[in-house]
Amino acid sequence: MVQPKYLEILEALRSRCSSLPIGAKLAPERALAEEFGVSVMTVRHSLGRLVTEGWVKKSPGSGSYVSRPTISMGPTLTSFTQDMRQRGFTPSSRVMRAETITPDVETIGMLDLRPGESAVLVERLRYADNEPMCHEMSVFPPQLAPALLGTDLSGSIHERLAEHGTTPVSTERVVRAVLASNRESELLQLPRGYPALEIVDTFFDNLGRPMQYVRSRYRFDRYEVRTDINRG
């Protein structure tokens, strides 16, 4: 079955947008129509879909500019890796630290640790299609060290822990806007002085034991949190 022309153009322009920086200006509709050998209306149809998907922003009288889709985090318990895969992105991570630490008082309380117990810190920069999306600082109780230290943590940590019989089934979550530090701005490719979306999770296993305390800071321009709220 022959694919409709507008879908062929849609895929080509989506691929083009993903390789261009945010804010790059696309060629005018008439030039794109000549490039693809179609009518301006067909190009406009494809661009309209890209606007809906979040890959393009149109400025009246100015033209079409490259954007990026906003990722909505819903009320279900999913990992970063799952979120990216479900949205058609290829997730990856750069592990910056994975080591045993002496936790601070706050972390001891959140993970229900005994005074003097160690913990495992994993710091990662998370990517979607090779674009930085999230700076993540995770702390785990010491019994999970064998599953984490000395292993490949560039994929989903939750999937790795599941292989060792530990799966998060619930979380307590706090969401707020914070000012990104200079280091975080550099890592996330944000202008200095811009905010980040901070999400702090305490994950619990099926026995109600805390298994991960994680502070993630996301690009403010790529993430939003959606929640269904009903009148009680």
Side-chain angles (χ1 to χ4, degrees):
M1 184 175 180
V2 179
Q3 181 174 242
K5 194 67 177 178
Y6 86 92
L7 287 179
E8 179 183 327
I9 298 169
L10 174 66
E11 291 175 2
L13 291 179
R14 188 188 294 123
S15 177
R16 184 175 301 180
C17 288
S18 68
S19 66
L20 292 171
I22 295 174
K25 187 175 182 179
L26 294 177
E29 292 178 352
R30 190 167 300 281
L32 290 172
E34 293 177 1
E35 176 186 345
F36 291 106
V38 296
S39 68
V40 171
M41 288 303 297
T42 299
V43 167
R44 194 167 293 162
H45 188 186
S46 300
L47 288 173
R49 286 281 296 272
L50 291 172
V51 169
T52 301
E53 292 178 5
W55 285 105
V56 168
K57 287 186 177 179
K58 301 195 80 172
S59 177
S62 178
S64 300
Y65 296 85
V66 173
S67 183
R68 291 289 187 275
T70 298
I71 297 169
S72 296
M73 298 185 70
T76 56
L77 183 57
T78 56
S79 68
F80 176 91
T81 299
Q82 290 173 313
D83 283 340
M84 295 306 103
R85 288 174 179 165
Q86 290 171 1
R87 290 164 175 79
F89 296 106
T90 300
S92 60
S93 301
R94 174 159 66 95
V95 180
M96 307 173 76
R97 278 193 293 169
E99 59 191 20
T100 300
I101 63 166
T102 300
D104 58 23
V105 173
E106 179 184 5
T107 303
I108 289 173
M110 299 306 293
L111 290 179
D112 198 20
L113 301 176
R114 296 187 302 272
E117 268 194 298
S118 63
V120 176
L121 170 69
V122 179
E123 179 184 6
R124 300 189 297 175
L125 188 60
R126 315 298 303 274
Y127 295 85
D129 287 349
N130 297 317
E131 183 178 10
M133 299 288 285
C134 167
H135 177 238
E136 177 187 278
M137 299 284 285
S138 292
V139 187
F140 304 85
Q143 63 267 27
L144 295 181
L148 298 169
L149 297 180
T151 64
D152 180 9
L153 300 178
S154 60
S156 170
I157 286 182
H158 285 179
E159 290 177 3
R160 175 163 296 281
L161 291 176
E163 295 171 359
H164 290 261
T166 303
T167 303
V169 298
S170 65
T171 186
E172 292 180 358
R173 174 169 290 171
V174 176
V175 182
R176 57 194 166 213
V178 299
L179 186 65
S181 68
N182 289 342
R183 179 171 180 262
E184 288 167 336
S185 296
E186 182 178 347
L187 291 172
L188 295 174
Q189 298 179 7
L190 290 172
R192 289 196 174 191
Y194 272 57
L197 179 66
E198 180 180 84
I199 299 180
V200 180
D201 278 302
T202 305
F203 290 100
F204 299 86
D205 64 16
N206 61 334
L207 297 177
R209 299 173 299 192
M211 54 171 287
Q212 181 185 11
Y213 178 51
V214 53
R215 190 222 68 197
S216 303
R217 289 189 172 177
Y218 294 85
R219 292 181 54 134
F220 77 95
D221 58 340
R222 298 297 306 279
Y223 266 82
E224 63 184 13
V225 176
R226 288 180 176 265
T227 304
D228 294 327
I229 300 175
N230 298 309
R231 186 180 296 277

